[in-house]
């Protein structure tokens, strides 16, 4: 999943001039505070994005990374259910709408989206970014928590939201998404605690009758020993000038680590296996760490004697299904 396509031209253009008129130090201060909230604990009754400066900094700094992570999760869902396409989509806690842009790209803009968020400045900027060539979406203010009721929809996305909620509100939100949608995609940071929130959401979705379509090749318990490791993936993100200003570094990109689950109420063919670590290339062979359909973890060694499979292994990436079709 490291290789990525460019951002949609319309989104790139909308983000390019977003910080015009905002002093660089103000943008950097807003990003620093947002990073602290992202890594810390945020009470469920306090939206992270408070004003226009916060929202502009968030959109310029985080929106490309969120878009890439959701795009990768949706690509895995599409691989599992290539004949399915959502007609309606609800983006819960969607802020400025990164996931909505990803959904529009994944299915050619066919889905009618509704973005729900409790921060009006984020919704306002989302509308502004989408005006013209952006996704066709409605933007509605809603408190994201136990009292939230969703209308029936084909697809619900919940990206980088669960960390902002109390455990009770997390459970209520996932339960409501499972009730309302035919497909649910949840994305969290690729950290140990983000993985734990994805695990909990996955268990809830399966208990509610949904089938895991990705990334897991099975619907059983995760084979990773708790506390020993965690399941996550990586998406490559082009660094903006704000990224370079805040984080420094000379590389034109960074890798966004994320964890996700996609679960559905319709037929889907999960991958027979999933590459869960970056492939290791040796002389004449490639080592692949896999999660398999029988619910176990294993390492496969693919060598030149495997012929075309060896070439496929050399081209394979972290997060890809295995073996290839």
């Amino acid at each position: 999943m490291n290789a990525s396509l460019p951002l949609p031209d319309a989104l790139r253009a909308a983000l390019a001039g977003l910080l015009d008129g905002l002093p660089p130090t103000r943008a950097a201060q807003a990003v620093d505070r947002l990073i602290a909230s992202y890594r810390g604990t945020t009470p469920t009754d306090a939206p992270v994005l408070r004003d226009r400066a916060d929202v502009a900094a968030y959109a310029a700094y985080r929106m490309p990374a969120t878009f890439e992570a959701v795009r990768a999760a949706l690509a895995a869902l599409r691989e599992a259910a290539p004949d399915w396409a959502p007609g309606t989509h609800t983006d819960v806690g969607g802020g400025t709408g990164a996931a909505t842009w990803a959904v529009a790209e994944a299915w050619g803009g066919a889905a009618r989206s509704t973005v729900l968020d409790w921060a009006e400045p984020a919704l306002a900027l989302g509308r502004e970014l989408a005006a013209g060539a952006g996704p066709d979406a409605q933007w509605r203010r809603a408190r994201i928590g136990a009292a939230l009721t969703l209308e029936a929809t084909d697809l619900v996305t919940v990206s980088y939201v669960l960390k902002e909620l109390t455990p009770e509100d997390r459970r209520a939100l996932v339960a409501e998404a499972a009730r309302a949608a035919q497909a649910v995609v949840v994305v969290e940071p690729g950290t140990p605690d983000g993985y734990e929130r994805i695990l909990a959401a996955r268990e809830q979705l399966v208990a509610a009758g949904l089938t895991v379509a990705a990334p897991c090749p099975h619907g059983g318990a995760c084979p990773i020993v708790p506390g020993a490791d965690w399941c996550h993936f990586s998406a490559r993100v082009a660094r903006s000038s704000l990224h370079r200003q805040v984080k420094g570094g000379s590389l034109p990109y960074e890798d966004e680590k994320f964890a996700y689950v996609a679960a559905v109420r319709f037929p889907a063919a999960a991958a027979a296996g999933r590459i869960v670590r970056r492939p290791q290339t040796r002389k004449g062979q490639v080592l692949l760490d896999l999660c398999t359909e029988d619910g176990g973890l294993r390492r496969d060694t693919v060598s030149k004697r495997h012929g075309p499979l060896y070439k496929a292994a050399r081209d394979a990436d972290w997060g890809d299904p295995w073996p290839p079709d």
Side-chain angles (χ1 to χ4, degrees):
M1 289 188 183
N2 283 92
S4 68
L5 299 171
L7 284 176
D9 289 342
L11 179 56
R12 184 183 298 278
L15 291 175
L18 193 57
L19 298 177
D20 288 350
L22 185 65
T25 54
R26 177 77 186 280
Q29 288 168 358
V31 168
D32 284 341
R33 190 183 65 77
L34 292 172
I35 290 174
S37 295
Y38 180 71
R39 293 175 177 168
T41 300
T42 304
T44 189
D45 57 351
V48 174
L49 305 177
R50 301 179 304 191
D51 55 27
R52 169 76 186 203
D54 274 359
V55 173
Y58 167 83
Y61 183 78
R62 281 295 309 165
M63 202 170 170
T66 302
F67 172 86
E68 294 293 356
V70 177
R71 171 156 65 178
L74 294 178
L77 172 57
R78 292 178 64 203
E79 289 171 354
D83 297 328
W84 179 81
T88 55
H89 162 234
T90 301
D91 188 13
V92 180
T96 54
T100 297
W101 284 82
V103 168
E105 182 190 73
W107 286 283
R112 301 187 309 277
S113 291
T114 300
V115 182
L116 304 177
D117 201 275
W118 53 13
E120 181 56 42
L123 293 169
L125 187 59
R127 291 188 198 98
E128 179 183 325
L129 292 173
D136 181 15
Q138 295 182 329
W139 307 78
R140 297 179 183 172
R141 189 172 188 181
R143 175 173 164 74
I144 310 303
L148 180 67
T149 300
L150 300 177
E151 297 179 3
T153 186
D154 293 329
L155 171 65
V156 165
T157 54
V158 184
S159 52
Y160 296 89
V161 172
L162 297 185
K163 184 177 177 64
E164 298 180 22
L165 306 178
T166 64
E168 294 77 12
D169 281 354
R170 288 175 200 158
R171 288 190 291 270
L173 174 55
V174 173
E176 181 62 8
R179 182 200 64 78
Q182 295 299 304
V184 179
V185 175
V186 185
V187 181
E188 283 288 294
T191 57
D193 62 319
Y195 160 69
E196 290 177 2
R197 289 189 293 274
I198 289 295
L199 263 189
R202 180 184 183 275
E203 291 173 2
Q204 265 194 271
L205 294 169
V206 171
L210 281 75
T211 300
V212 177
C216 316
H218 59 86
C222 179
I224 295 176
V225 177
D229 202 351
W230 70 99
C231 182
H232 65 292
F233 303 95
S234 181
R236 184 143 291 176
V237 184
R239 272 182 168 162
S240 67
S241 59
L242 183 58
H243 277 82
R244 292 190 290 272
Q245 177 184 334
V246 173
K247 283 192 170 181
S250 58
L251 292 175
Y253 64 85
E254 66 179 15
D255 291 330
E256 171 70 7
K257 305 296 174 53
F258 66 98
Y260 77 98
V261 62
V264 300
R265 291 193 179 277
F266 47 81
R274 181 80 58 182
I275 301 172
V276 293
R277 286 292 178 268
R278 197 182 307 279
Q280 300 179 45
T281 302
R282 303 284 190 266
K283 185 177 181 180
Q285 61 183 19
V286 180
L287 309 182
L288 301 177
D289 290 310
L290 304 172
C291 182
T292 62
E293 59 187 339
D294 63 5
L297 298 171
R298 74 166 189 258
R299 171 170 286 184
D300 279 7
T301 300
V302 185
S303 65
K304 287 184 177 180
R305 66 183 177 83
H306 290 99
L309 200 61
Y310 173 67
K311 182 181 185 303
R314 287 180 59 86
D315 292 338
D317 209 344
W318 180 9
D320 287 351
W322 188 264
D325 291 336

